[in-house]
Amino acid sequence: MARITLRQLLDHAAERSYGVPAFNINNMEQGLAIMQAAKACDAPVIIQASRGARSYANDIMLAKMMEALTEIYPDIPLCVHQDHGNSEATCLSAIRHGFTSVMMDGSLESDAKTAASYDYNVSITERVTRMAHAVGASVEGELGVLGSLESGHGEAEDGHGAEGALSHDQLLTDPEQAVDFAGRTKVDALAIAMGTSHGAYKFSRKPDGDILAMHVIEAIHQKLPNTHLVMHGSSSVPQKLQDVINRFGGEMPQTFGVPVEEIERGIRHGVRKINIDTDCRMAMTGQLRKIASENPSEFDPRKFLKPAMDAMRDLCLDRFERFGTAGNASRIKVLPMDEMARRYAAGELDPRIATARAA
Ligand code: G3H
Ligand code: 13P
Ligand code: ZN
């Protein structure tokens, strides 16, 4: 029984100054790759499923797979998280299927396309937090809209992401508003906008402070030192992975992601959860293309999926090590959700806004 809540895990990460990658999954191979990497370096894990992943894999399949992973790897604390929940229903059905944490992304309306008002965001996030905390589950909120400071547009990938032009005010989270938002919603973790976006095409050049606004993280952390910050769109889109894909018939135009050293800098300033999906997809796809190209007569899916899984495992292992997650699984004594619910009810887990204001 090693299923952990996001709140307990990120509290531990904050105490010991490390970050935790949150890897997206859609299938068994990705789940196994992450857990193999975690086992190899004693890292606690966040596995997250988007709404797209839930409909692709089926909620029951995902729930049983999480159960299986905790049985196979009983010593690895595993947080199962809903990525970009768009409504109360999405978040509550995730919890019903064994998720220990949900993201209520109220930065967008429930269509996951239209930038929402601040009042809408506060009100829906506060409602979800109240319901989730009653059963001990954790909540991540988002303030600010993900999108590119280069193009002034959000990314609409697989039906998720703001459509149309966005102002810098929308694309950069306001630190004062972040204090108000954390206090009113009582979220356990706060995703912020600072120029990252989902997918492979984040930046047209190696990002500097003009297009990857790390200073926003630092400003928010100064005002909210006790709130766990989350970086979305944090794949690094490594050149090596682009090259493998393109060497074996891919046609990915040159692109740049978030350099790992910038994430390490974020971790020094309160970033505790780092969302990574694209890098894992690219690691797997590179190997699938390589096998298909080198062995055109091959037809056993395992011959494709095993190298793909290994490449994803290596990517995950690297991030566990670079973010300082490695070595921490065995240091955590997992608290059951009931105990977390009791602590919320007793007011022991409120974000310490008063301390933050005094700091
Ligand atoms: O939210 C972004 C993640 O990369 C999930 O993507 O909606 O295609 O599963 P997805
Ligand atoms: P990437 O597309 O950069 O991997 O981001 C994933 C993410 O933020 C999922 O919520
Ligand atoms: Zn995201």
Side-chain angles (χ1 to χ4, degrees):
M1 256 299 284
R3 211 170 293 195
I4 191 170
T5 62
L6 185 71
R7 177 59 185 271
Q8 193 199 348
L9 177 49
L10 298 192
D11 280 353
H12 189 266
E15 268 162 37
R16 298 189 58 88
S17 304
Y18 65 91
V20 187
F23 297 115
N24 287 75
I25 63 156
N26 300 274
N27 59 35
M28 179 192 80
E29 284 76 13
Q30 292 175 309
L32 287 172
I34 296 164
M35 297 308 283
Q36 286 166 7
K39 175 75 182 164
C41 69
D42 187 40
V45 166
I46 302 170
I47 284 183
Q48 57 188 6
S50 65
R51 286 190 296 138
R54 286 177 61 186
S55 66
Y56 173 82
N58 183 298
D59 277 345
I60 294 170
M61 188 68 82
L62 277 180
K64 300 278 181 202
M65 186 164 83
M66 295 307 146
E67 252 176 67
L69 291 176
T70 49
E71 195 178 328
I72 301 166
Y73 297 97
D75 302 331
I76 302 295
L78 170 61
C79 169
V80 185
H81 177 79
Q82 166 74 56
D83 193 24
H84 292 286
N86 65 326
S87 65
E88 291 100 324
T90 300
C91 293
L92 294 184
S93 67
I95 294 171
R96 202 155 32 81
H97 283 98
F99 287 49
T100 56
S101 177
V102 294
M103 176 186 194
M104 178 57 237
D105 181 356
S107 72
L108 301 175
E109 292 183 6
S110 60
D111 64 2
K113 289 183 172 73
T114 312
S117 71
Y118 181 64
D119 287 347
Y120 170 89
N121 194 355
V122 169
S123 127
I124 195 162
T125 307
E126 188 274 330
R127 279 201 303 282
V128 169
T129 305
R130 212 163 355 103
M131 293 187 281
H133 285 180
V135 293
S138 317
V139 178
E140 171 186 340
E142 173 162 331
L143 184 62
V145 183
L146 292 186
S148 162
L149 292 165
E150 278 185 282
S151 69
H153 278 79
E155 36 54 63
E157 204 201 14
D158 288 353
H160 182 101
E163 280 182 356
L166 296 164
S167 69
H168 266 46
D169 281 356
Q170 291 173 296
L171 290 166
L172 295 173
T173 303
D174 173 45
E176 286 296 339
Q177 205 174 49
V179 174
D180 185 65
F181 186 81
R184 286 167 66 184
T185 60
K186 299 200 170 16
V187 287
D188 301 287
L190 179 64
I192 57 178
M194 19 58 95
T196 64
S197 46
H198 294 135
Y201 304 103
K202 301 180 194 303
F203 305 110
S204 67
R205 57 184 162 90
K206 186 168 189 286
D208 56 22
D210 288 343
I211 54 176
L212 176 60
M214 297 301 292
H215 61 90
V216 169
I217 291 179
E218 298 175 14
I220 294 172
H221 182 53
Q222 272 203 341
K223 289 191 181 293
L224 276 176
N226 297 315
T227 295
H228 306 309
L229 303 181
V230 182
M231 278 176 74
H232 280 248
S234 289
S235 278
S236 300
V237 197
Q239 189 64 49
K240 270 192 187 159
L241 295 182
Q242 294 181 49
D243 291 346
V244 175
I245 289 173
N246 287 338
R247 194 175 324 130
F248 295 103
E251 291 185 4
M252 288 188 71
Q254 178 64 49
T255 180
F256 296 85
V258 182
V260 176
E261 55 278 12
E262 294 297 341
I263 297 171
E264 291 169 323
R265 176 174 160 199
I267 292 170
R268 291 195 291 277
H269 294 279
V271 171
R272 300 290 160 232
K273 174 173 180 280
I274 302 103
N275 283 16
I276 298 176
D277 186 356
T278 297
D279 282 354
C280 298
R281 293 176 174 187
M282 289 178 67
M284 295 190 90
T285 297
Q287 293 308 305
L288 298 177
R289 284 194 167 280
K290 181 169 187 285
I291 308 301
S293 150
E294 288 180 341
N295 302 315
S297 62
E298 185 56 68
F299 58 88
D300 178 348
R302 292 171 299 183
K303 297 289 189 337
F304 295 79
L305 289 168
K306 177 69 169 68
M309 204 164 32
D310 291 349
M312 177 163 163
R313 178 204 58 210
D314 293 348
L315 185 284
C316 296
L317 185 55
D318 178 80
R319 298 304 185 266
F320 282 135
E321 281 167 352
R322 298 280 300 266
F323 300 167
T325 336
N328 281 296
S330 51
R331 292 194 169 106
I332 301 172
K333 190 174 174 311
V334 175
L335 295 170
M337 298 253 295
D338 285 354
E339 173 57 16
M340 293 302 286
R342 189 200 64 71
R343 292 184 186 195
Y344 284 119
E348 293 169 21
L349 293 171
D350 279 358
R352 284 150 283 173
I353 299 296
T355 324
R357 287 216 173 102

